[in-house]
């Protein structure tokens, strides 16, 4: 073990941050690029199912709140792409990897948003699951990633409250609205639990990520934490947990739950979900259609730099 690796391991052991100019193992860098890029892609792709409802939201206030949320997610994607760039990879490369299927994004965004209640379920469950996962990432070992998560978590908390507000309105509304809320919960419950990734024993990266403190808590621990936090909220809404085996266990101090349909999870991850092709094609089209904006911005930046030097 050379002196650089010793110094790196000492920083990890002391719970200090690795910064972009610090020496790091190549596998650490690649592991971070994989995780951060997946996080960034998820924020950007996640705007699509919400954009589907932007013009159909039931009130002006609902439109304003949803638009603010979508804008936040665009910002989150930009923060995270910037974090990845500190690891020596360009944004162009990151987008190309996404388009070529070499990079993934969260499987949850490959499900359609069929009703306005789905906007509630996405904000409450999906962003709620994101908060549970991302709060621990504020202590991740890579400095730029940890710092980016501070603001992201604050804004995700707003998103979760926005979603829960919609679910309260629907669940306490007419019988038809409550039925719509239950339907949204039924469809998004298990996919939300799968957002935490496969079981720890089946995760290809979790063990090493935990050793390097890129991840601070395991997939199964975070998933159980989310279940324990969310089931009482479901009961408050007067809705039914879409799992007949979900019951409080006095001995463990946690809610028991049924096994997941992991075949469904891996099928979506492999690109065969209800909206995989649609989401990716939409992103490719947006990237192509708006190329002129990036070119104009680049040309203006070059012109400005030249003018500054000439003066």
């Amino acid at each position: 073990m050379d002196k650089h690796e010793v110094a790196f391991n000492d920083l990890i052991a002391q719970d200090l941050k690795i910064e972009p100019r610090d020496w790091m193992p190549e596998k650490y860098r690649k592991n971070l690029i994989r995780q951060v890029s997946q996080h960034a892609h998820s924020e950007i792709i996640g705007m699509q199912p919400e954009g589907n409802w932007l013009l159909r939201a039931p009130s002006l206030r609902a439109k304003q709140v949803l638009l603010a949320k979508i804008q936040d997610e665009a910002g989150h994607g930009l923060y995270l792409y910037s974090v990845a760039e500190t690891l020596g990879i360009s944004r162009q490369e990151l987008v190309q990897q996404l388009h070529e299927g070499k990079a993934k994004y969260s499987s949850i965004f490959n499900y359609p948003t069929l009703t306005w209640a789905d906007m509630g379920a996405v904000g409450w469950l999906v962003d709620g699951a994101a908060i549970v996962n991302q709060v621990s990432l504020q202590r991740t070992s890579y400095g730029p990633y940890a710092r980016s998560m501070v603001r992201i978590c604050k804004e995700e908390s707003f998103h979760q409250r926005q979603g829960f507000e919609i679910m309260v309105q629907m669940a306490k509304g007419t019988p038809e609205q409550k039925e719509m809320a239950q339907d949204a919960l039924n469809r998004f419950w298990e996919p939300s639990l799968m957002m935490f990734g496969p079981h720890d024993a089946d995760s290809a990266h979790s063990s090493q990520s935990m050793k390097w403190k890129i991840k601070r808590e395991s997939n199964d621990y975070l998933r159980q934490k989310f279940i324990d936090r969310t089931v009482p909220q479901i009961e408050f809404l007067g809705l039914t947990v879409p799992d007949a085996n979900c019951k409080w266990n006095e001995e463990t101090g946690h809610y028991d739950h049924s096994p997941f349909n992991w075949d469904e999870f891996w099928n979506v991850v492999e690109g065969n979900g209800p909206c995989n092709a649609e989401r990716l094609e939409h992103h490719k089209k947006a990237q192509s259609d708006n190329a002129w904006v990036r070119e104009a911005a680049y040309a203006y930046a070059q012109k400005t730099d030249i003018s500054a030097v000439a003066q």
Side-chain angles (χ1 to χ4, degrees):
M1 185 181 300
D2 66 20
K3 63 180 182 179
H4 298 296
E5 192 169 356
V6 170
F8 172 85
N9 289 337
D10 283 346
L11 287 173
I12 296 294
Q14 295 177 54
D15 222 2
L16 298 175
K17 301 301 181 194
I18 307 299
E19 299 296 342
R21 293 185 180 181
D22 293 337
W23 183 91
M24 64 188 74
E26 184 62 16
K27 288 184 178 179
Y28 176 87
R29 188 184 75 86
K30 288 183 176 179
N31 200 328
L32 267 172
I33 290 174
R34 177 197 58 78
Q35 181 170 325
V36 174
S37 67
Q38 178 173 316
H39 193 166
H41 297 326
S42 298
E43 295 284 356
I44 298 302
I45 296 294
M47 297 163 64
Q48 291 186 38
E50 292 168 335
N52 179 45
W53 279 93
L54 188 54
L55 298 180
R56 296 185 288 162
S59 69
L60 178 59
R61 179 181 179 275
K63 288 180 171 66
Q64 290 174 316
V65 173
L66 184 57
L67 178 59
K69 181 185 179 186
I70 293 171
Q71 288 174 322
D72 281 349
E73 287 165 346
H76 297 174
L78 292 176
Y79 303 154
L80 292 163
Y81 284 136
S82 296
V83 169
E85 286 176 321
T86 68
L87 292 160
I89 187 169
S90 71
R91 198 166 305 185
Q92 290 75 19
E93 289 178 271
L94 294 169
V95 172
Q96 184 176 354
Q97 288 177 358
L98 173 65
H99 289 175
E100 291 176 352
K102 296 177 181 177
K104 304 293 185 182
Y105 56 87
S106 180
S107 60
I108 191 72
F109 299 118
N110 289 311
Y111 291 89
T113 48
L114 305 176
T115 70
W116 176 246
D118 287 9
M119 286 296 91
V122 167
W124 169 41
L125 298 176
V126 176
D127 293 311
I131 291 168
V132 170
N133 184 46
Q134 293 170 15
V135 163
S136 68
L137 289 176
Q138 293 177 107
R139 297 182 291 111
T140 189
S141 61
Y142 188 57
Y145 194 21
R147 291 188 288 273
S148 74
M149 294 314 305
V150 174
R151 178 168 179 171
I152 289 175
C153 284
K154 289 179 180 178
E155 293 176 346
E156 291 290 2
S157 295
F158 153 72
H159 301 168
Q160 195 271 345
R161 289 194 295 273
Q162 173 255 1
F164 193 67
E165 179 185 71
I166 293 173
M167 294 301 281
V168 169
Q169 292 169 344
M170 302 292 285
K172 306 301 181 183
T174 66
E176 291 79 9
Q177 288 174 319
K178 184 174 183 179
E179 183 180 349
M180 193 180 294
Q182 183 67 59
D183 174 65
L185 171 59
N186 293 348
R187 287 183 287 107
F188 277 93
W189 176 246
E190 192 166 79
S192 295
L193 299 181
M194 292 179 181
M195 283 179 65
F196 295 98
H199 284 309
D200 297 332
D202 300 325
S203 177
H205 305 285
S206 282
S207 177
Q208 186 60 67
S209 291
M210 293 284 285
K211 289 178 182 176
W212 279 327
K213 299 182 181 179
I214 295 173
K215 289 182 64 173
R216 303 305 299 248
E217 293 170 329
S218 71
N219 294 350
D220 289 331
Y221 172 83
L222 291 169
R223 186 172 11 250
Q224 187 64 59
K225 186 176 181 179
F226 174 72
I227 293 171
D228 292 345
R229 177 180 296 182
T230 308
V231 170
Q233 297 172 1
I234 295 174
E235 294 171 348
F236 170 81
L237 291 170
L239 301 178
T240 302
V241 180
D243 178 357
N245 295 315
C246 187
K247 295 179 176 63
W248 181 254
N249 187 321
E250 291 287 351
E251 293 184 8
T252 64
H254 298 291
Y255 283 94
D256 294 333
H257 57 81
S258 300
F260 303 127
N261 181 0
W262 288 110
D263 288 341
E264 163 78 4
F265 171 77
W266 290 115
N267 187 53
V268 176
V269 168
E270 292 302 317
N272 303 313
C275 298
N276 284 71
E278 177 185 335
R279 299 286 186 247
L280 205 52
E281 285 306 311
H282 185 283
H283 191 275
K284 289 178 181 179
K285 185 176 187 301
Q287 187 77 4
S288 175
D289 290 350
N290 295 302
W292 67 272
V293 177
R294 297 189 299 277
E295 292 165 3
Y298 179 70
Y300 178 76
Q302 282 190 314
K303 181 179 179 181
T304 303
D305 288 344
I306 293 171
S307 299
V309 171
Q311 291 176 2

